[in-house]
Amino acid sequence: MTTPEQVRPGQILPVDVDAVPAVELGPGIHVRMLPGMEGIRTWVIDLAPGAEWPDLDVHDTYGEAYFVVRGELIEGDRVHGPGTYVAFGADTSHRPRSETGVRAFGFNYDV
C-alpha cells in the first residue's frame, strides 16, 4: 500500500508505521511521513545512537511538536525520555540529537 499524504474526510486509515518507507535525512536519521490532516504534516523520526540533526531546524511562522516513543532525544542540555511531549512555537529553533537512539512521533503545523 502506498501511504497517502492526507486522510480524507470520513476516512479511517490505520497505518503500520514500520511499513512506511523511511527517507534518510542525514547519517543515522530516518523519517517516515505519515498521513496528516489539512495544515498538519505528521511524521515519525528515528535517530541512531550518536546522531544529530544535520542543521538548525527553524520554525519561523508555524510550530512543531513531537512525542518521544522510545529512547532519548536531547535538545540543548535537556534530555527528553519516553512519554515526553515537546512543543515548539513560531519563532523557535532547535537541533535535536540522541546518544541512545530515539523514535519520536511528531507534527508540523503549516496552516
Side-chain angles (χ1 to χ4, degrees):
M1 171 180 113
T2 301
T3 306
E5 195 171 302
Q6 288 193 355
V7 178
R8 296 185 308 270
Q11 182 182 29
I12 298 171
L13 182 63
V15 175
D16 177 354
V17 171
D18 289 318
V20 174
V23 174
E24 186 173 26
L25 295 182
I29 302 171
H30 294 88
V31 64
R32 290 175 167 84
M33 297 306 297
L34 303 176
M37 310 298 163
E38 186 175 339
I40 301 173
R41 288 183 296 125
T42 310
W43 41 265
V44 167
I45 59 167
D46 293 296
L47 275 70
E52 182 174 26
W53 205 253
D55 298 303
L56 190 64
D57 192 17
V58 178
H59 306 289
D60 290 325
T61 308
Y62 304 105
E64 175 180 271
Y66 62 77
F67 177 81
V68 178
V69 177
R70 66 176 177 252
E72 293 179 340
L73 198 57
I74 302 168
E75 298 280 3
D77 61 352
R78 299 189 69 178
V79 177
H80 305 292
T84 304
Y85 173 78
V86 182
F88 299 88
D91 298 322
T92 62
S93 62
H94 63 122
R95 190 171 184 198
R97 63 187 177 85
S98 182
E99 293 177 5
T100 63
V102 69
R103 172 168 275 191
F105 172 78
F107 309 91
N108 285 92
Y109 303 99
D110 299 330
V111 179

